[in-house]
Amino acid sequence: MRRILVPTDFSEQAQYAFEVAVSIARRTGAAIKLLHVIDAPRGTSFSATGDVIFNDNMEQLYMMRLLETTKTDMHKLIGTVEHRGVEVVQEVDVARIVGKIRQVIADDKIDLVVMGSKGSSGLDEFLIGSNTEKVVRTAECPVITVKQRQTDFHPREIVLASNFRREVGKAMEVFKSFQQLFDARIHLVYINTPGAFESSSNLRSKLAHAAEKYALQNYTINIYNDVVEEDGILHFAEDINADMIMMATHGRTGLSHLLSGSIAEDLVNHTSRPVLTYQL
């Protein structure tokens, strides 16, 4: 791992994400980029090079002052988190937030995104979702979401929830690398629901086959019964007092996403534990 991206809005959760990123960077030697994006208002024009085109001098003056204030806030954030020995660079831009994050991931060859999340619920969640949720859905690298301060981030008990089908193979390599990074124990869990019920013996055989196929070490196999998958994952994580949850996401968008939802994105919204997601 060489490059970690931490998008920040200067909230408490964003600071917690920066602290987690520093902990990971100390273990891996990665450099961190702190990115703050001033969300371009609707109707904003951009040049061919991506620069904002201002409609008048007052608008340009306002934006210049906002950029200066933002840079001051960025310096304060960097000074707040002890990061001695970790390379930290910063970037401030005016753009569409999620689009800019995806661009930086591609241009800077980012290996990991660490983001703060306040979570959302109710009508707001259904209609628009959060920027964090959109990044989880679209990022082409692993994403860790953080809601609460993680003192000396070192997950030792990690839940890996999956249906363990063939397409999770690439994600499993990512998950194994995080397990090895922290010398953690992985708890493989399959949530058995009434709508897709299978016998425990069949499911245990499926999970054991997956563990053997991906050469997992230091793991447990678990079948957990619950009404819906998301609740089952949350309840299981609570039962074992997990430090982190890992899941693959299919990154559905549009009508399909609104109708069927995504378990990984729901978890990001509803759990206080860090969640590592990887888009298949």
Side-chain angles (χ1 to χ4, degrees):
M1 186 180 299
R2 297 175 58 197
R3 297 180 179 89
I4 301 173
L5 174 65
V6 182
T8 180
D9 58 0
F10 308 115
S11 64
E12 287 184 355
Q13 291 80 8
Q15 179 175 327
Y16 301 156
F18 183 26
E19 292 169 354
V20 167
V22 169
S23 294
I24 296 172
R26 291 198 192 284
R27 288 180 169 269
T28 62
I32 296 174
K33 170 173 275 193
L34 283 173
L35 172 69
H36 179 77
V37 184
I38 299 172
D39 197 15
R42 293 192 178 278
T44 301
S45 301
F46 294 88
S47 69
T49 59
D51 297 324
V52 178
I53 299 175
F54 297 102
N55 296 321
D56 54 50
N57 290 335
M58 287 297 293
E59 185 178 282
Q60 183 174 9
L61 180 61
Y62 169 78
M63 192 58 67
M64 289 176 64
R65 288 179 175 173
L66 183 58
L67 283 168
E68 288 302 315
T69 301
T70 300
K71 290 176 181 178
T72 300
D73 292 337
M74 187 73 85
H75 283 296
K76 288 180 180 177
L77 174 60
I78 293 175
T80 300
V81 177
E82 202 288 306
H83 61 278
R84 184 170 42 198
V86 176
E87 179 185 351
V88 178
V89 298
Q90 57 180 296
E91 180 177 351
V92 177
D93 199 2
V94 182
R96 304 281 188 238
I97 294 175
V98 177
K100 177 63 179 181
I101 292 172
R102 292 183 64 187
Q103 178 189 337
V104 172
I105 291 172
D107 291 349
D108 290 7
K109 296 180 173 58
I110 296 296
D111 300 300
L112 173 69
V113 175
V114 185
M115 291 188 73
S117 173
K118 297 182 179 70
S120 57
S121 60
L123 186 62
D124 175 65
E125 176 185 0
F126 180 79
L127 291 177
I128 55 175
S130 66
N131 286 318
T132 304
E133 179 185 333
K134 294 172 186 174
V135 172
V136 165
R137 193 188 313 152
T138 61
E140 296 184 0
C141 68
V143 179
I144 294 179
T145 53
V146 180
K147 281 186 184 175
Q148 297 182 350
R149 170 162 279 140
Q150 307 294 315
T151 305
D152 187 25
F153 180 70
H154 187 157
R156 300 183 184 277
E157 307 292 339
I158 300 177
V159 172
L160 173 50
S162 175
N163 56 19
F164 299 97
R165 292 175 183 161
R166 186 179 306 168
E167 66 267 23
V168 303
K170 188 176 180 181
M172 290 295 285
E173 294 305 315
V174 172
F175 298 151
K176 280 175 60 178
S177 69
F178 273 89
Q179 178 197 20
Q180 293 163 4
L181 180 63
F182 293 102
D183 193 24
R185 178 166 53 172
I186 285 185
H187 300 272
L188 306 180
V189 62
Y190 186 105
I191 308 302
N192 211 8
T193 62
F197 184 81
E198 290 189 53
S199 70
S200 294
S201 59
N202 287 345
L203 291 175
R204 287 189 181 280
S205 176
K206 179 187 292 187
L207 268 64
H209 175 73
E212 181 180 358
K213 177 180 178 180
Y214 299 114
L216 296 182
Q217 297 181 347
N218 193 16
Y219 66 90
T220 67
I221 289 176
N222 306 272
I223 312 301
Y224 198 92
N225 298 324
D226 215 315
V227 178
V228 295
E229 290 171 290
E230 178 202 333
D231 288 347
I233 296 167
L234 293 174
H235 293 155
F236 177 74
E238 291 170 4
D239 286 352
I240 69 165
N241 194 25
D243 300 306
M244 187 166 72
I245 299 171
M246 299 194 297
M247 275 200 72
T249 175
H250 287 276
R252 290 186 293 264
T253 58
L255 184 60
S256 169
H257 172 259
L258 289 174
L259 292 177
S260 61
S262 165
I263 297 170
E265 293 159 28
D266 288 343
L267 280 174
V268 167
N269 276 329
H270 299 139
T271 184
S272 60
R273 291 175 168 81
V275 180
L276 170 65
T277 54
Y278 184 75
Q279 184 198 154
L280 297 174

